[in-house]
Amino acid sequence: MRNAPTILHLDMDAFFAQAEQASKPSLRGKAVVVGGLGPRGVVATASYEARVFGVHSAMPMAQARRLAPNAAYLTPRFAFYRSISDQVMGLLRSLSPLVEPLSLDEAFVDLEAGEAAWDSGSARLAGVRLRADISAVTGLTGSVGLAGSKMLAKIASEQAKPDGLVLIEPGTERALLGPMPVRTLPGVGPATGDHLRRAGITTVDEIVEAGEDELVRLLGKAHGHGLYAMALARDDRPVVAEREAKSVSVEDTYDVDIHDRVRVELEVQRLADRCVRRLRGAGLSGRTIVLKVRRYDFSTLTRSETLRGPTDDPAVVREAAGRLLDAVDTTGGVRLLGVGVSGLADFTQEDLFAQVAEARAEGVEEEVPDEPVREDAVPDGHQWRPGHDVRHAVLGHGWVQGSGLGRVTVRFETPQSEVGRVRTFRIDDPDLEPADPLPLVRRRPEEVPTTHGAVGDADEAVADVAGEVGDAGPAGGVPAGRPGTVR
């Protein structure tokens, strides 16, 4: 635990949904749900307007539609989100060399390591500038938590949501944590929470009162000791710049169960190739091939095979995945397939290539393209997916509102335009084609801000946000004046 709140946690607000609202003027201020739209799809992100109706991440999409039937339902554009995430992570790395990304929209930053902060005042200023820079560069908002530990910085950013900043003063952590529910602490999920509730423990203060021995009895040695330390606000975990990947994997869930064994085999081969593309893109190889199969009755089987050494050869991975599939009964149907590689290394074992020497000699080996395949690319035949970008030869840029019965409906608007008009076309209209997303913010190169000193409009944004810090607001968080917390 540090004596200054120099650990920062950034969490972009409803990231996927916010990015869609920013790129589509007609959706701003409206309920937006992003995720898989098929019968078995789940919600990836819901805008705050959709959350009012009870929609939340990981909810089945069918349930979300019942709760919010009038929301806009869009399929994800992961390449687009990734490009925005790269901009945000670049801003974080300008603050410190120690940035620990947790996902596309979330990261820890050690401000002290980058000499960007050393006390409460400088930490708060760094957080204010960061929020302003994110807004200037991406047009989006993020919530910032500042504290002396990673656990408390994350709790602070949750309190700050949406679009706020919360700083927890060192020395006030115990008083702040005490009345909070046990689910606030990392590692306390639904099962652990229910177990503690049955023992009469519902708040962090009650964890401390129960004592370490009781927690060990209830939860086991490792979990009990760890949870008790967190309840006392003890967390010395450092911010780690590079989080070592343990595995690389891909999987697909199918709207309709696959019963045809040949089709299952082809899907496994395709997934193996996708997995190798990701592996090579990360400059890695692996020696353990993993196959995941979820059958019609929701039973999930995982099979693995460890090779003599690490590989990034697509033929080797395909063959191993095929051998694993041979041992799995798929007669009743398959609803999910996945292929992964673990036991990662940054080199390959040359003798593994002997396994495909015969195929090479016959000239039938398939090479994996060097260019990564876009996950949200529209395949041949143009599957017009809701939310994806299109361009019309006459009407310009737009996005797909929906398609069916041989028709596709498009709204023509851009991030900088007014709400656009809607037109319907045949799905094979020669003037309509898929397009790349447009940037959310247009700016001249000299206007690009940095977290060490924003320029132009970003300076005004810093001043505006600085005026908000210390004021209570509807975004959540703790009002100014409460001991130990700055809003």
Side-chain angles (χ1 to χ4, degrees):
M1 177 68 66
R2 297 185 179 184
N3 294 322
T6 54
I7 293 182
L8 180 149
H9 181 261
L10 171 72
D11 197 346
M12 300 295 289
D13 301 319
F15 181 44
F16 296 173
Q18 186 188 179
E20 296 296 348
Q21 289 175 318
S23 67
K24 300 171 172 65
S26 58
L27 298 184
R28 293 170 189 169
K30 297 182 180 179
V32 174
V33 181
V34 180
L37 303 188
R40 294 169 180 163
V42 297
V43 175
T45 307
S47 69
Y48 286 96
E49 296 86 353
R51 296 181 191 187
V52 171
F53 299 99
V55 181
H56 58 78
S57 299
M59 171 182 285
M61 190 62 74
Q63 183 181 355
R65 289 185 184 276
R66 290 193 296 269
L67 293 172
N70 297 319
Y73 289 87
L74 309 176
T75 54
R77 297 185 293 164
F78 288 114
F80 177 51
Y81 309 146
R82 213 173 276 120
S83 67
I84 300 172
S85 175
D86 289 344
Q87 292 177 306
V88 173
M89 296 301 167
L91 292 173
L92 297 183
R93 291 187 177 96
S94 72
L95 279 172
S96 171
L98 292 184
V99 176
E100 183 177 343
L102 304 178
S103 62
L104 289 177
D105 62 338
E106 186 179 0
F108 287 108
V109 183
D110 187 335
L111 298 176
E112 186 177 299
E115 299 183 353
W118 50 91
D119 59 13
S120 295
S122 57
R124 182 174 60 196
L125 182 58
V128 169
R129 285 180 171 169
L130 173 63
R131 290 180 59 219
D133 287 350
I134 290 173
S135 178
V137 170
T138 70
L140 305 182
T141 64
S143 295
V144 168
L146 293 155
S149 70
K150 290 169 72 172
M151 177 186 74
L152 288 162
K154 184 171 175 62
I155 290 173
S157 69
E158 284 296 319
Q159 290 183 321
K161 282 184 166 294
D163 191 20
L165 182 152
V166 169
L167 183 150
I168 299 176
E169 289 284 0
T172 66
E173 298 91 352
R174 287 283 306 279
L176 179 70
L177 280 177
M180 291 184 173
V182 294
R183 290 289 303 277
T184 303
L185 298 179
V188 182
T192 301
D194 287 344
H195 195 45
L196 292 172
R197 179 181 53 78
R198 288 193 294 270
I201 300 173
T202 59
T203 68
V204 176
D205 266 343
E206 289 169 346
I207 289 178
V208 177
E209 291 170 7
E212 190 168 14
D213 291 341
E214 177 66 7
L215 287 177
V216 169
R217 187 186 70 79
L218 289 170
L219 305 175
K221 187 174 181 180
H223 199 181
H225 287 313
L227 189 58
Y228 185 72
M230 288 185 176
L232 294 175
R234 296 173 184 165
D235 179 19
D236 296 322
R237 293 174 300 162
V239 176
V240 180
E242 296 295 334
R243 305 182 74 205
E244 184 177 354
K246 296 181 179 180
S247 65
V248 173
S249 63
V250 296
E251 63 181 42
D252 276 344
T253 301
Y254 305 100
D255 292 341
V256 179
D257 289 348
I258 302 176
H259 293 84
D260 183 355
R261 181 71 179 192
V262 174
R263 167 83 188 283
V264 173
E265 293 171 352
L266 289 174
E267 288 294 313
V268 168
Q269 301 299 299
R270 183 179 61 83
L271 288 167
D273 285 345
R274 278 177 54 194
C275 184
V276 168
R277 282 193 289 268
R278 287 192 177 184
L279 199 66
R280 287 184 169 184
L284 297 171
S285 59
R287 65 192 303 262
T288 300
I289 313 303
V290 181
L291 175 71
K292 178 179 178 182
V293 180
R294 181 166 297 151
R295 299 189 291 191
Y296 69 98
D297 58 358
F298 286 89
S299 62
T300 302
L301 303 176
T302 302
R303 300 287 183 267
S304 64
E305 175 182 323
T306 299
L307 306 173
R308 296 193 300 273
T311 184
D312 65 352
D313 189 295
V316 173
V317 176
R318 284 197 302 266
E319 289 177 5
R323 287 193 296 272
L324 294 170
L325 180 63
D326 289 340
V328 178
D329 180 12
T330 61
T331 305
V334 170
R335 61 188 295 117
L336 177 146
L337 289 168
V339 174
V341 177
S342 60
L344 301 181
D346 57 1
F347 63 93
T348 60
Q349 188 75 22
E350 289 294 333
D351 65 355
L352 283 175
F353 296 132
Q355 298 181 27
V356 291
E358 182 177 347
R360 284 180 172 174
E362 295 175 359
V364 297
E365 182 187 4
E366 297 180 21
E367 292 293 334
V368 175
D370 291 332
E371 287 292 322
V373 175
R374 287 175 46 191
E375 295 175 30
D376 58 352
V378 179
D380 293 341
H382 298 338
Q383 293 181 4
W384 303 111
R385 297 171 178 168
H388 283 220
D389 298 84
V390 296
R391 175 167 292 280
H392 189 273
V394 176
L395 300 173
H397 192 92
W399 59 277
V400 176
Q401 280 199 324
S403 64
L405 301 177
R407 301 284 177 176
V408 56
T409 300
V410 177
R411 185 180 288 275
F412 290 95
E413 59 186 7
T414 70
Q416 289 78 35
S417 74
E418 299 295 326
V419 173
R421 58 180 175 173
V422 176
R423 294 283 299 274
T424 299
F425 308 89
R426 299 192 320 272
I427 59 171
D428 58 353
D429 191 310
D431 288 336
L432 195 66
E433 62 181 4
D436 292 327
L438 297 177
L440 298 181
V441 176
R442 288 180 179 173
R443 60 191 182 278
R444 297 187 300 273
E446 63 269 21
E447 291 176 335
V448 177
T450 67
T451 50
H452 291 299
V455 297
D457 293 339
D459 277 334
E460 298 178 10
V462 168
D464 291 341
V465 178
E468 295 173 6
V469 177
D471 297 332
V478 182
R482 182 174 297 182
T485 308
V486 177
R487 174 79 170 93

